[in-house]
Amino acid sequence: NLPAMLNPIPYWSFALVAILFTLACGNSGKAAQEPAISTVATCCDGTIYEVPEVDVPPSYPGGEAAMYAWVGNNLRTPELPAGTDLSNTTTWIQFNVDCDGTVRDALVKRGSLPELDASAMDLVKQMPKWSAGKVKDQLVCVQYILPLKFEVK
């Protein structure tokens, strides 16, 4: 008989971990939302990189601080019905920064409330061109995920 620490992990615990991971990282039981912008890969040569895969990630004009200032000035919290639960009000928007810096193919990766998700999508559609990402000194299309937290003041 092995000591308790050395016993193999019960097979059911893997299923439990998978279920918990799905619940924590999934879409919170909401039906998938149709993106407001086409999700067809229209980037450069069709290859879409993720940020860790590129030598130089895409950047907002003026850098990250300028992006957060722009977001703060342009993100609008819509009118919500009285009594709306605002405990989870972060909307995660995924978009591609094309090799010419155009922000395209935006979609709600993980939403909060439909009104807030729509406001976040409107914001991303208005973004100016970014500096494109690079791989081996070649401009490439890079997928970016931006969390937008709404606060009621």
Side-chain angles (χ1 to χ4, degrees), residues 28-43:
S28 304
K30 295 179 183 175
Q33 296 180 354
E34 290 297 318
I37 300 175
S38 168
T39 58
V40 176
T42 54
C43 290

Side-chain angles (χ1 to χ4, degrees), residues 28-106:
S28 304
K30 295 179 183 175
Q33 296 180 354
E34 290 297 318
I37 300 175
S38 168
T39 58
V40 176
T42 54
C43 290
C44 308
D45 67 356
T47 303
I48 301 172
Y49 293 87
E50 292 184 6
V51 171
E53 300 174 311
V54 298
D55 301 325
V56 178
S59 61
Y60 184 86
E64 192 171 290
M67 178 183 65
Y68 286 119
W70 183 85
V71 167
N73 290 329
N74 292 283
L75 184 61
R76 301 291 174 240
T77 300
E79 293 260 341
L80 298 170
T84 302
D85 179 15
L86 298 174
S87 60
N88 181 21
T89 56
T90 301
T91 296
W92 298 74
I93 301 291
Q94 174 183 302
F95 56 89
N96 297 325
V97 178
D98 207 341
C99 54
D100 68 356
T102 303
V103 173
R104 62 175 74 241
D105 306 328

